[in-house]
Amino acid sequence: MNQEIKSLNLTELQAALKQMGQPAFRAKQVYSWLHRGVRSFDEMTDLPKALRQTLADGFLLTAPQVVRRQKSALDGTIKYLWRLHDGNCVETVLMRYHHGNTVCISSEVGCPMGCAFCASTIGGLVRKLSAGEMLDEVLFTEQDSGQEISNIVLMGIGEPLDNYETVCRFLELVNSGEGMNIGMRHISLSTCGIVPRILELAESRLQLTLSVSLHAPDDETRSKIMPVNRRWQVEELLGACRVYYEKTGRRISFEYAMIRGVNDSPEAARLLLKRLRGLPAHVNLIPLNNVEESPLKPSDRTTVLRFQKLLEDQGVACTIRRTLGSDIDASCGQLRRKYQKNDES
Ligand code: SAH
């Protein structure tokens, strides 16, 4: 299959066009069209027709189709289900916050990590997304919604650090001055805790926010709900987080889904405090979203508030995530999952 043109950075595109005998200024023209979300080379109206044809013959230009678009009546959150060029589907969510519009993108079709509470992993990993396909999620969400996007979170379907090099390439593309120019400080990356990749990311010293899905402070509980913990345990993971902080100076954000009777006790809060000691952190409590296939249930409100207070009393910043789009299955993987199930039946 032809190479995906949108996954190329400007230097690579320059080299490719040079090889085709094109003048040097063409690359920036093409790059700029690509990053404005054109659906075909014919939309590149300031290119000679012959060149448009050569590009169409030599490259694949990805542009996902909207399969479903659901808008929350409660808060304006929009959830997209996109069909990719090979028929696979992924989800993207657009959320409106006071600090700007944030898009939550997927990095893989499905997920190999097997977390017990997560809908995205039920069918396993189908394939990884390309850098261009991740960029498409941002471009076409902006285009379809008419809302300018200022922030990106890699918290959709998939494990970004399982697709590490491609995610780094996506970051380069979306950050580039000739493209969307979204600053690293406006980007968050969420991981279930692939330690060697966290250390590699630390070395790159990118100024993005690292979010770590911790969900339990002890190995016994964490290994039960997150198989990744059997490979890299809590101490090793938090060790990598410390290195990450030392190298980048960026405070780490810890995601903690509150699961009834599993990880929501005062003892769990106290152990969490002990483990986070000396590490500048922000804990984000997420009321567990119900996933039909899972027996795990959300903690009740009082339990969540009690947990939060225990952390805050010891000076650890702790927020409870606002549930956006709860009327439209806006938690990861649920829309794709429903679509698959309807397809199966
Ligand atoms: N693979 C990455 C990013 C995708 S999931 C990661 O693990 O961080 C984004 C966040 O949603 C993670 O913190 C994940 O653990 C959490 N999550 C998944 N299913 C959930 C559910 N049913 N309820 C609440 N949070 C969930």
Side-chain angles (χ1 to χ4, degrees), residues 68 70-72 75-82 90-97 101-106 137-138 141-142 145 149 151-157 323-326 328-336:
R68 296 251 167 99
Q70 289 181 286
K71 189 166 177 176
S72 165
D75 51 46
T77 298
I78 308 179
K79 180 151 191 165
Y80 290 96
L81 183 70
W82 303 105
V90 288
E91 293 171 33
T92 307
V93 185
L94 174 65
M95 297 163 290
R96 279 87 182 270
Y97 289 112
N101 293 324
T102 300
V103 71
C104 173
I105 66 162
S106 300
E137 294 182 67
V138 187
T141 297
E142 187 169 88
S145 66
I149 287 162
N151 302 283
I152 299 173
V153 295
L154 283 138
M155 284 193 189
I157 299 174
T323 327
L324 290 177
S326 53
I328 54 165
D329 294 315
S331 74
C332 23
Q334 295 196 5
L335 191 59
R336 172 172 172 266

Side-chain angles (χ1 to χ4, degrees), residues 52-290:
R52 291 185 228 162
Q53 192 56 51
T54 315
L55 291 172
D57 292 341
F59 290 104
L60 173 65
L61 175 57
T62 55
Q65 301 292 334
V66 180
V67 182
R68 296 251 167 99
R69 179 195 300 104
Q70 289 181 286
K71 189 166 177 176
S72 165
L74 304 172
D75 51 46
T77 298
I78 308 179
K79 180 151 191 165
Y80 290 96
L81 183 70
W82 303 105
R83 184 178 294 109
L84 308 173
H85 64 89
D86 63 352
N88 278 305
C89 291
V90 288
E91 293 171 33
T92 307
V93 185
L94 174 65
M95 297 163 290
R96 279 87 182 270
Y97 289 112
H98 58 273
H99 57 268
N101 293 324
T102 300
V103 71
C104 173
I105 66 162
S106 300
S107 55
E108 299 182 311
V109 179
C111 182
M113 304 312 303
C115 298
F117 44 80
C118 182
S120 301
T121 199
I122 292 172
L125 175 71
V126 178
R127 73 166 171 90
K128 300 177 184 192
L129 293 190
S130 69
E133 286 175 320
M134 286 182 236
L135 183 62
D136 282 341
E137 294 182 67
V138 187
L139 289 172
F140 291 105
T141 297
E142 187 169 88
Q143 192 177 89
D144 185 89
S145 66
Q147 305 287 320
E148 194 179 330
I149 287 162
S150 50
N151 302 283
I152 299 173
V153 295
L154 283 138
M155 284 193 189
I157 299 174
E159 167 52 47
L161 298 188
D162 179 54
N163 194 8
Y164 182 74
E165 263 131 48
T166 307
V167 163
C168 290
R169 175 174 281 268
F170 159 71
L171 294 173
E172 180 193 349
L173 293 176
V174 82
N175 181 235
S176 76
E178 294 83 6
M180 292 195 83
N181 202 11
I182 295 183
M184 284 296 168
R185 285 170 183 264
H186 293 260
I187 302 177
S188 296
L189 183 153
S190 181
T191 179
C192 63
I194 300 188
V195 165
R197 293 291 156 291
I198 293 177
L199 295 172
E200 219 174 316
L201 195 61
E203 288 303 328
S204 77
R205 290 183 165 75
L206 292 177
Q207 288 297 295
L208 49 78
T209 300
L210 182 67
S211 256
V212 172
S213 301
L214 192 60
H215 302 323
D218 63 290
D219 287 317
E220 199 190 333
T221 312
R222 194 166 190 271
S223 291
K224 265 189 212 148
I225 54 177
M226 301 180 72
V228 67
N229 196 71
R230 296 173 207 153
R231 179 73 177 80
W232 296 287
Q233 304 203 320
V234 176
E235 272 307 304
E236 203 179 350
L237 173 57
L238 294 179
C241 292
R242 281 173 212 279
V243 172
Y244 188 88
Y245 175 71
E246 281 157 22
K247 300 266 179 188
T248 63
R250 303 286 292 163
R251 185 172 78 154
I252 306 227
S253 179
F254 289 97
E255 310 292 302
Y256 198 103
M258 297 289 288
I259 312 174
R260 193 188 305 165
V262 173
N263 63 357
D264 59 355
S265 67
E267 293 71 45
R270 282 189 273 272
L271 183 58
L272 181 60
L273 278 166
K274 196 170 146 199
R275 294 229 143 152
L276 293 183
R277 204 165 287 155
L279 177 64
H282 173 258
V283 176
N284 203 348
L285 300 178
I286 316 170
L288 186 80
N289 272 305
N290 252 326

Side-chain angles (χ1 to χ4, degrees), residues 294-339:
S294 159
L296 301 171
K297 295 291 160 231
S299 310
D300 58 45
R301 188 81 190 157
T302 15
T303 311
V304 179
L305 290 170
R306 180 181 63 186
F307 200 96
Q308 180 190 32
K309 186 164 186 318
L310 283 168
L311 295 192
E312 280 188 329
D313 284 351
Q314 298 300 313
V316 172
C318 177
T319 47
I320 301 175
R321 180 175 294 167
R322 237 174 4 124
T323 327
L324 290 177
S326 53
D327 53 336
I328 54 165
D329 294 315
S331 74
C332 23
Q334 295 196 5
L335 191 59
R336 172 172 172 266
R337 182 77 198 133
K338 277 209 172 148
Y339 183 71

Side-chain angles (χ1 to χ4, degrees), residues 21-72:
Q22 289 297 316
F25 65 87
R26 286 280 181 237
K28 272 196 183 163
Q29 257 179 329
V30 174
Y31 191 84
S32 147
W33 279 117
L34 292 172
H35 289 242
R36 271 183 276 160
V38 291
R39 290 191 166 268
S40 86
F41 290 104
D42 271 334
E43 289 177 46
M44 302 186 177
T45 44
D46 54 1
L47 299 190
K49 275 214 162 122
L51 176 58
R52 291 185 228 162
Q53 192 56 51
T54 315
L55 291 172
D57 292 341
F59 290 104
L60 173 65
L61 175 57
T62 55
Q65 301 292 334
V66 180
V67 182
R68 296 251 167 99
R69 179 195 300 104
Q70 289 181 286
K71 189 166 177 176
S72 165

